Amino acid sequence: MGQNPDANTGPNPKHVAIIMDGNGRWAQKQGLARNEGHRAGVRNVENIVNACRDLNVPFLTLYAFSAENWNRPRLEVEALMHLLEQFLKKQRGNLLENGIRLRVLGRLEEMPGRVRKQLEQTLADTAHFTDSNLSLALNYGSRTEVVDAVKSYALACQRGDVDPEKIDWETFASHLYTADLPDPDLVIRTSGEQRISNFLLLQSAYAEYLFPEKFWPEFGVEDLAAAIQSYRQRERRHGKTGEQVKNERLTTQR
């Protein structure tokens, strides 16, 4: 009758979002400069991107650079931009070979010219892929996203494209950076810090959260698999009762 061999677990998350935290503290523990921690973090990105494809998670979003990160020391910001540029050059082949589409969430127009050029080229080269998706949150902040969405929606009202009296969540969400992405099912923040840091605040309203203690450079494929398994064992209610969720699960297994 199509029974689930593991009836106590749910499906894989469709969309995993990760706050990659702890590069600097990892480097400090190793007696290294902060920039070396960022380098190690960049190297880990490829492992996790490929692991998501292998674990049948079609959407991965990584919080790479927040709108507030511009306030960090100038030399650190410059080093981060250089690392991003090098990452894009190196990973373009990996994305193309494995059919992974790159997306950017944030104010791309404010990024340095050389980085923006690399991003735009890779966005164009991978735009036709659909099965695997990597979104980089760059120059991103959830509050900034809402401001930009309100501006976009107001302009649409002025043009007569939408009726402001008929606004609903779906209409407003179509003006967010994530308009063509599913909401995240699982949000992970590495390093043990338990805060969201202005990341996908509206989209993650019903997401499950995990706060593993490991710093991002040491958060490996096994840790991601364990996080996904933990997610599958949780009961997601979306406002319903546990009994309703149980009955719906039994119905789908018949």
Side-chain angles (χ1 to χ4, degrees), residues 6-159:
D6 190 350
N8 294 320
T9 62
N12 267 12
K14 186 176 183 181
H15 184 176
V16 173
I18 304 179
I19 302 173
M20 304 180 293
D21 193 24
N23 291 340
R25 280 168 287 163
W26 176 86
Q28 187 177 32
K29 282 183 60 178
Q30 311 299 317
L32 303 171
R34 285 181 59 84
N35 287 345
E36 292 305 312
H38 294 311
R39 289 183 185 276
V42 167
R43 289 195 295 269
N44 195 38
V45 167
E46 181 176 353
N47 297 331
I48 298 303
V49 169
N50 292 334
C52 276
R53 188 189 69 252
D54 296 339
L55 293 167
N56 297 316
V57 176
F59 294 90
L60 172 66
T61 297
L62 300 176
Y63 202 3
F65 191 85
S66 78
E68 292 77 25
N69 284 156
W70 297 111
N71 297 320
R72 291 190 174 189
R74 179 181 59 82
L75 292 178
E76 182 173 348
V77 171
E78 290 177 355
L80 286 169
M81 291 298 107
H82 177 71
L83 281 173
L84 175 58
E85 183 182 10
Q86 295 303 309
F87 168 79
L88 292 168
K89 289 179 179 179
K90 181 180 178 182
Q91 292 305 313
R92 179 177 174 275
N94 179 55
L95 298 176
L96 290 170
E97 179 180 350
N98 291 291
I100 301 172
R101 180 179 179 179
L102 179 69
R103 302 167 186 262
V104 173
L105 312 180
R107 290 180 173 176
L108 178 57
E109 69 276 7
E110 295 178 356
M111 298 293 289
R114 67 185 190 279
V115 174
R116 188 171 67 250
K117 182 178 179 180
Q118 277 290 321
L119 285 167
E120 290 173 344
Q121 183 64 56
T122 308
L123 290 170
D125 290 344
T126 63
H128 59 290
F129 296 131
T130 57
D131 292 341
S132 297
N133 300 265
L134 169 63
S135 297
L136 297 180
L138 291 168
N139 193 22
Y140 175 88
S142 194
R143 291 178 175 178
T144 302
E145 180 181 25
V146 171
V147 169
D148 287 348
V150 169
K151 289 179 180 177
S152 175
Y153 180 76
L155 288 173
C157 290
Q158 288 180 349
R159 294 191 302 265

